[in-house]
Amino acid sequence: MTTTATIDTLRVPDALLHYEVRGRGPLVVLVGAPMDARSFGPLADLLAVDHTVLTTDPRGINRSKVDDPDRDSTPEMRADDLARLITHLDAGPATVLGSSGGAVSVLALVQAHPELVRTAIPHEPPLDQLVDDRAQLLAWTDEMIATYLSGDTMGAWRKFMLIANLHMPDEVIEHMFGGERDPQDIADEHYQYTHMLKPTVEWVPDFDALRSASTRIVIGIGEDSGEQLCVRTSTALAAGLGIEPTWFPGGHIGFADDPDRFATRLREVLQEG
């Protein structure tokens, strides 16, 4: 099922945000970083049957243009963007599901504006500072970025997979990131490596603020994510909040790989709240 999305832009400090709205009903926000709105389209269509669904490109990515492309995109800035979008729609408080870097944005949103978020579902946030080997991970991240800036894109992605504990055959990496590529994909990749990645993985949540928030917080982990880094960071986050993780179908991007199963599980989680 495909629903018609209303596409618009919202001017926020230092950026013009691209956003899409589908359906009618309680507001659900689906957000990634660096993933843009396109990755959430199939899930948004499924939820739009009985929800208003907001998707957006995070600042600096694809259709969300920034005034200063040399400025970092921090979780706090992306959280402020989400707060302004939710307020603009005047349909909150919202359920907000964030994937990966978008999950970090969601946590920052709850810390700053808990009144706007009824239920927050950070799905596998890469919070490297929460695990014991944080110093090694952050050093590897610096090496990865330096490799990318040297012009060795393939080498950088190999390091990315190693840090994340993602096992992908070399030929698959070459197919995804080698050869002829879309100029926008290259621009988004550059922005991710140079201005989004470090502020995201180095971010430290305020556990006191999150525990005291009126927002219901659900820490999502993919059933097929195994021993990937984001499982370790998500487990540490859940322990810090004194709650158990909630399992979702698929892996790190289960919402995109199998949106039907993910939507079914998401509806169950929302009903439990």
Side-chain angles (χ1 to χ4, degrees):
M1 178 182 297
T2 301
T3 57
T4 301
T6 299
I7 299 172
D8 209 340
T9 58
L10 179 67
R11 166 55 67 173
V12 298
D14 307 315
L16 184 66
L17 300 178
H18 168 98
Y19 71 94
E20 303 172 8
V21 179
R22 295 169 170 84
R24 294 184 64 184
L27 179 60
V28 175
V29 183
L30 307 175
V31 62
M35 274 189 166
D36 62 36
R38 294 173 298 176
S39 301
F40 294 93
L43 177 60
D45 286 338
L46 292 167
L47 297 175
V49 174
D50 52 1
H51 290 84
T52 299
V53 186
L54 167 67
T55 57
T56 183
D57 294 355
R59 60 168 53 224
I61 296 296
N62 198 8
R63 297 157 292 187
S64 286
K65 306 304 181 183
V66 289
D67 298 343
D68 182 1
D70 294 324
R71 185 182 184 189
D72 283 350
S73 168
T74 67
E76 289 84 0
M77 294 166 67
R78 300 195 301 269
D80 186 70
D81 292 341
L82 291 173
R84 292 173 186 273
L85 283 166
I86 293 170
T87 301
H88 176 68
L89 292 184
D90 194 25
T95 294
V96 189
L97 183 144
S99 168
S100 196
V104 182
S105 308
V106 170
L107 291 167
L109 173 63
V110 173
Q111 289 183 187
H113 296 283
E115 75 282 358
L116 295 178
V117 187
R118 177 181 290 109
T119 300
I121 309 174
H123 187 274
E124 299 199 6
L127 299 169
D128 292 2
Q129 295 279 23
L130 298 188
V131 293
D132 291 340
D133 54 343
R134 63 183 70 87
Q136 181 65 77
L137 290 170
L138 296 175
W140 283 343
T141 298
D142 287 338
E143 293 176 8
M144 174 181 62
I145 294 171
T147 299
Y148 179 80
L149 293 175
S150 75
D152 184 4
T153 301
M154 296 291 294
W157 279 110
R158 290 188 183 97
K159 290 180 184 293
F160 180 94
M161 300 299 174
L162 179 65
I163 294 169
N165 198 27
L166 286 166
H167 304 289
M168 190 174 292
D170 222 40
E171 57 270 22
V172 175
I173 297 176
E174 291 177 4
H175 174 73
M176 292 175 65
F177 305 110
E180 194 72 23
R181 300 177 65 198
D182 182 87
Q184 185 62 58
D185 290 342
I186 295 172
D188 291 347
E189 174 187 81
H190 184 270
Y191 190 80
Q192 152 75 351
Y193 270 108
T194 57
H195 295 296
M196 183 179 282
L197 199 154
K198 270 178 68 71
T200 298
V201 302
E202 292 181 352
W203 191 79
V204 180
D206 183 337
F207 283 105
D208 289 338
L210 292 172
R211 281 191 293 260
S212 64
S214 57
T215 304
R216 175 191 177 211
I217 300 177
V218 177
I219 309 301
I221 300 179
E223 293 172 339
D224 300 334
S225 293
E227 298 180 357
Q228 294 171 14
L229 173 59
C230 283
V231 173
R232 294 201 290 127
T233 58
S234 300
T235 302
L237 173 64
L241 293 174
I243 61 178
E244 291 294 321
T246 296
W247 298 93
F248 283 82
H252 189 61
I253 55 169
F255 62 90
D257 291 335
D258 193 343
D260 290 277
R261 289 181 62 217
F262 198 96
T264 298
R265 179 59 177 138
L266 179 56
R267 288 181 184 281
E268 292 172 354
V269 170
L270 295 182
Q271 289 172 1
E272 291 166 2

